[in-house]
Amino acid sequence: MTDSIERLYRAVLAARDQDPARSRTAKLMQQGTGKMAKKLAEEAIEVAIDAVGGDAQAVVRESADMIYNMTVLWAELGIQPEDVWREMERRELMLGIAEKLPKSPVKVAKAASARVPGRPIVAAESRVIRKRH
């Protein structure tokens, strides 16, 4: 699976300098990071809507669109797939393959101690995220 994403990433890098009139990727990259982020968010919302509606085939199609747009955004920001794989591996070592990293340093320590006894965990970043009302 990672090979497919890496091939897609290389194709995105190759397409970014093409004529925007002929390449969707080049056009998207020319429009800037904000547009790329908006397209990624739109695809994620479509995946969620199709999932709630129980349309598995639509989820597959929209997931492919979402992965494409995520890859374009990575390329724009200089993020390589290997960067993401390393972060996933780091999290797996701390919390297990299926776990998302908790936002709270306290929760990180609790989750890690439950998974790997005796292994100290230090949160790399601590920030407060405020919800908009």
Side-chain angles (χ1 to χ4, degrees):
M1 179 177 72
T2 59
D3 291 345
S4 297
I5 293 175
E6 289 170 5
R7 281 194 313 273
L8 174 61
Y9 182 81
R10 286 192 303 270
V12 165
L13 291 177
R16 72 175 158 189
D17 295 324
Q18 293 179 358
D19 179 5
R22 301 180 63 113
S23 167
R24 179 174 186 247
T25 301
K27 181 178 179 181
L28 188 55
M29 294 188 100
Q30 186 180 52
Q31 293 172 329
T33 306
K35 180 67 171 184
M36 290 177 227
K38 181 181 174 189
K39 292 298 290 179
L40 178 59
E42 288 172 3
E43 298 302 342
I45 290 167
E46 289 175 9
V47 168
I49 290 168
D50 290 332
V52 169
D55 189 343
Q57 287 304 310
V59 169
V60 168
R61 289 190 303 273
E62 297 302 337
S63 293
D65 290 346
M66 187 175 73
I67 291 169
Y68 162 77
N69 282 286
M70 181 176 57
T71 305
V72 170
L73 190 60
W74 286 353
E76 176 67 13
L77 296 174
I79 297 167
Q80 297 183 15
E82 296 82 27
D83 300 330
V84 178
W85 309 153
R86 273 192 302 276
E87 174 61 12
M88 291 175 70
E89 183 176 333
R90 183 183 75 81
R91 291 178 181 199
E92 179 182 357
L93 291 172
M94 282 178 31
L95 303 169
I97 191 69
E99 297 296 327
K100 178 179 179 274
L101 189 64
K103 301 292 183 201
S104 161
V106 173
K107 289 182 182 176
V108 170
K110 284 182 181 178
S113 64
R115 295 260 183 225
V116 185
R119 187 177 226 182
I121 301 299
V122 178
E125 179 179 322
S126 178
R127 62 182 175 180
V128 175
I129 299 173
R130 296 183 183 175
K131 293 184 180 181
R132 291 181 148 173
H133 299 312

mmCIF file of all heavy atoms in Angstrom, residues 19-37:
data_model
loop_
_atom_site.group_PDB
_atom_site.id
_atom_site.type_symbol
_atom_site.label_atom_id
_atom_site.label_comp_id
_atom_site.label_asym_id
_atom_site.label_seq_id
_atom_site.Cartn_x
_atom_site.Cartn_y
_atom_site.Cartn_z
ATOM 1 N N ASP A 19 1.853 22.225 -17.406
ATOM 2 C CA ASP A 19 0.913 23.284 -17.771
ATOM 3 C C ASP A 19 -0.369 23.123 -16.968
ATOM 4 O O ASP A 19 -1.037 22.091 -17.065
ATOM 5 C CB ASP A 19 0.624 23.187 -19.273
ATOM 6 C CG ASP A 19 -0.360 24.225 -19.761
ATOM 7 O OD1 ASP A 19 -0.768 25.098 -18.971
ATOM 8 O OD2 ASP A 19 -0.712 24.160 -20.951
ATOM 9 N N PRO A 20 -0.752 24.129 -16.159
ATOM 10 C CA PRO A 20 -1.975 24.041 -15.362
ATOM 11 C C PRO A 20 -3.245 23.846 -16.196
ATOM 12 O O PRO A 20 -4.234 23.332 -15.684
ATOM 13 C CB PRO A 20 -2.020 25.370 -14.612
ATOM 14 C CG PRO A 20 -0.625 25.866 -14.620
ATOM 15 C CD PRO A 20 -0.001 25.346 -15.889
ATOM 16 N N ALA A 21 -3.204 24.217 -17.456
ATOM 17 C CA ALA A 21 -4.367 24.007 -18.334
ATOM 18 C C ALA A 21 -4.526 22.534 -18.691
ATOM 19 O O ALA A 21 -5.618 22.100 -19.073
ATOM 20 C CB ALA A 21 -4.232 24.847 -19.595
ATOM 21 N N ARG A 22 -3.463 21.762 -18.531
ATOM 22 C CA ARG A 22 -3.503 20.349 -18.906
ATOM 23 C C ARG A 22 -3.364 19.394 -17.722
ATOM 24 O O ARG A 22 -3.599 18.203 -17.872
ATOM 25 C CB ARG A 22 -2.395 20.067 -19.915
ATOM 26 C CG ARG A 22 -2.509 20.910 -21.169
ATOM 27 C CD ARG A 22 -1.387 20.596 -22.115
ATOM 28 N NE ARG A 22 -1.482 19.224 -22.546
ATOM 29 C CZ ARG A 22 -1.754 18.839 -23.780
ATOM 30 N NH1 ARG A 22 -1.951 19.731 -24.699
ATOM 31 N NH2 ARG A 22 -1.801 17.565 -24.093
ATOM 32 N N SER A 23 -2.952 19.921 -16.585
ATOM 33 C CA SER A 23 -2.710 19.073 -15.428
ATOM 34 C C SER A 23 -3.498 19.587 -14.227
ATOM 35 O O SER A 23 -3.281 20.711 -13.766
ATOM 36 C CB SER A 23 -1.215 19.056 -15.081
ATOM 37 O OG SER A 23 -1.000 18.481 -13.808
ATOM 38 N N ARG A 24 -4.383 18.739 -13.715
ATOM 39 C CA ARG A 24 -5.164 19.094 -12.523
ATOM 40 C C ARG A 24 -4.240 19.341 -11.331
ATOM 41 O O ARG A 24 -4.451 20.250 -10.522
ATOM 42 C CB ARG A 24 -6.135 17.958 -12.212
ATOM 43 C CG ARG A 24 -6.978 18.201 -10.987
ATOM 44 C CD ARG A 24 -8.015 17.093 -10.833
ATOM 45 N NE ARG A 24 -8.903 17.405 -9.735
ATOM 46 C CZ ARG A 24 -8.967 16.708 -8.606
ATOM 47 N NH1 ARG A 24 -8.222 15.649 -8.449
ATOM 48 N NH2 ARG A 24 -9.805 17.057 -7.651
ATOM 49 N N THR A 25 -3.199 18.534 -11.211
ATOM 50 C CA THR A 25 -2.248 18.681 -10.114
ATOM 51 C C THR A 25 -1.532 20.022 -10.201
ATOM 52 O O THR A 25 -1.430 20.743 -9.207
ATOM 53 C CB THR A 25 -1.228 17.527 -10.127
ATOM 54 O OG1 THR A 25 -1.934 16.289 -10.010
ATOM 55 C CG2 THR A 25 -0.217 17.657 -9.016
ATOM 56 N N ALA A 26 -1.031 20.375 -11.389
ATOM 57 C CA ALA A 26 -0.336 21.654 -11.555
ATOM 58 C C ALA A 26 -1.267 22.822 -11.259
ATOM 59 O O ALA A 26 -0.880 23.791 -10.600
ATOM 60 C CB ALA A 26 0.227 21.764 -12.968
ATOM 61 N N LYS A 27 -2.516 22.718 -11.700
ATOM 62 C CA LYS A 27 -3.482 23.784 -11.446
ATOM 63 C C LYS A 27 -3.739 23.927 -9.946
ATOM 64 O O LYS A 27 -3.759 25.048 -9.410
ATOM 65 C CB LYS A 27 -4.796 23.497 -12.175
ATOM 66 C CG LYS A 27 -5.835 24.567 -11.974
ATOM 67 C CD LYS A 27 -7.099 24.247 -12.750
ATOM 68 C CE LYS A 27 -8.150 25.325 -12.505
ATOM 69 N NZ LYS A 27 -9.387 25.032 -13.215
ATOM 70 N N LEU A 28 -3.922 22.814 -9.273
ATOM 71 C CA LEU A 28 -4.177 22.833 -7.839
ATOM 72 C C LEU A 28 -2.987 23.430 -7.088
ATOM 73 O O LEU A 28 -3.151 24.269 -6.193
ATOM 74 C CB LEU A 28 -4.469 21.409 -7.352
ATOM 75 C CG LEU A 28 -4.950 21.225 -5.929
ATOM 76 C CD1 LEU A 28 -6.193 22.050 -5.643
ATOM 77 C CD2 LEU A 28 -5.242 19.753 -5.677
ATOM 78 N N MET A 29 -1.788 23.055 -7.480
ATOM 79 C CA MET A 29 -0.595 23.564 -6.808
ATOM 80 C C MET A 29 -0.404 25.054 -7.087
ATOM 81 O O MET A 29 0.061 25.793 -6.220
ATOM 82 C CB MET A 29 0.628 22.746 -7.194
ATOM 83 C CG MET A 29 0.530 21.316 -6.679
ATOM 84 S SD MET A 29 2.008 20.361 -6.891
ATOM 85 C CE MET A 29 2.678 20.479 -5.236
ATOM 86 N N GLN A 30 -0.802 25.491 -8.248
ATOM 87 C CA GLN A 30 -0.704 26.906 -8.591
ATOM 88 C C GLN A 30 -1.672 27.745 -7.747
ATOM 89 O O GLN A 30 -1.401 28.894 -7.435
ATOM 90 C CB GLN A 30 -1.005 27.094 -10.085
ATOM 91 C CG GLN A 30 -0.800 28.498 -10.587
ATOM 92 C CD GLN A 30 -1.113 28.608 -12.064
ATOM 93 O OE1 GLN A 30 -2.178 28.196 -12.501
ATOM 94 N NE2 GLN A 30 -0.171 29.134 -12.821
ATOM 95 N N GLN A 31 -2.774 27.143 -7.325
ATOM 96 C CA GLN A 31 -3.786 27.853 -6.549
ATOM 97 C C GLN A 31 -3.397 28.041 -5.090
ATOM 98 O O GLN A 31 -4.038 28.810 -4.380
ATOM 99 C CB GLN A 31 -5.133 27.133 -6.657
ATOM 100 C CG GLN A 31 -5.707 27.204 -8.054
ATOM 101 C CD GLN A 31 -6.943 26.340 -8.227
ATOM 102 O OE1 GLN A 31 -7.080 25.298 -7.585
ATOM 103 N NE2 GLN A 31 -7.836 26.772 -9.091
ATOM 104 N N GLY A 32 -2.397 27.334 -4.628
ATOM 105 C CA GLY A 32 -1.867 27.569 -3.296
ATOM 106 C C GLY A 32 -2.346 26.604 -2.227
ATOM 107 O O GLY A 32 -3.281 25.822 -2.423
ATOM 108 N N THR A 33 -1.703 26.714 -1.074
ATOM 109 C CA THR A 33 -1.943 25.807 0.041
ATOM 110 C C THR A 33 -3.379 25.864 0.546
ATOM 111 O O THR A 33 -3.957 24.831 0.889
ATOM 112 C CB THR A 33 -0.965 26.121 1.191
ATOM 113 O OG1 THR A 33 0.369 26.099 0.672
ATOM 114 C CG2 THR A 33 -1.077 25.107 2.307
ATOM 115 N N GLY A 34 -3.952 27.055 0.586
ATOM 116 C CA GLY A 34 -5.328 27.187 1.067
ATOM 117 C C GLY A 34 -6.300 26.376 0.233
ATOM 118 O O GLY A 34 -7.181 25.693 0.773
ATOM 119 N N LYS A 35 -6.162 26.448 -1.080
ATOM 120 C CA LYS A 35 -7.041 25.692 -1.979
ATOM 121 C C LYS A 35 -6.809 24.191 -1.813
ATOM 122 O O LYS A 35 -7.751 23.397 -1.809
ATOM 123 C CB LYS A 35 -6.800 26.116 -3.431
ATOM 124 C CG LYS A 35 -7.640 25.400 -4.442
ATOM 125 C CD LYS A 35 -9.105 25.748 -4.310
ATOM 126 C CE LYS A 35 -9.891 25.179 -5.483
ATOM 127 N NZ LYS A 35 -11.282 25.570 -5.440
ATOM 128 N N MET A 36 -5.553 23.805 -1.664
ATOM 129 C CA MET A 36 -5.233 22.385 -1.479
ATOM 130 C C MET A 36 -5.862 21.862 -0.192
ATOM 131 O O MET A 36 -6.447 20.772 -0.178
ATOM 132 C CB MET A 36 -3.718 22.180 -1.431
ATOM 133 C CG MET A 36 -3.029 22.389 -2.735
ATOM 134 S SD MET A 36 -1.255 22.201 -2.506
ATOM 135 C CE MET A 36 -0.708 23.645 -3.373
ATOM 136 N N ALA A 37 -5.754 22.633 0.878
ATOM 137 C CA ALA A 37 -6.339 22.230 2.156
ATOM 138 C C ALA A 37 -7.861 22.153 2.048
ATOM 139 O O ALA A 37 -8.486 21.234 2.589
ATOM 140 C CB ALA A 37 -5.921 23.201 3.259
#
